[in-house]
Amino acid sequence: AGDPSPIFEVVERLTRKGGREIVANFSDKRDAEAAGEWLLDRLRRLAPGEDFSIQVNPGGGQFMLALKA
């Protein structure tokens, strides 16, 4: 299970400012990676002109899924 952030607001901020933002925390690395791939697929439809990537980082016993613009 994950703890997500509001996707539309994150995309709007990253589109304006660039950078990286944590979008969810997971207890399992594979779940975080799968969610990241799902998110990238959705973002290609939501913001087709943007170039987003994901990053999964361990921390505090969890795996943080970051979206980068």
Side-chain angles (χ1 to χ4, degrees):
D3 181 21
S5 295
I7 294 173
F8 290 108
E9 291 84 354
V10 170
V11 168
E12 183 179 312
R13 278 191 298 272
L14 290 176
T15 300
R16 279 193 328 250
K17 299 177 182 180
R20 176 180 80 106
E21 190 165 334
I22 302 295
V23 294
N25 294 316
F26 292 86
S27 58
D28 184 83
K29 184 177 181 180
R30 286 177 290 191
D31 288 345
E33 291 169 345
E37 292 302 321
W38 175 88
L39 179 59
L40 286 178
D41 179 62
R42 298 313 179 273
L43 291 177
R44 287 182 190 110
R45 299 177 212 179
L46 177 65
E50 296 297 320
D51 185 28
F52 292 107
S53 62
I54 58 165
Q55 184 176 9
V56 176
N57 298 317
Q62 301 234 353
F63 293 91
M64 296 168 283
L65 175 59
L67 182 62
K68 296 170 65 175

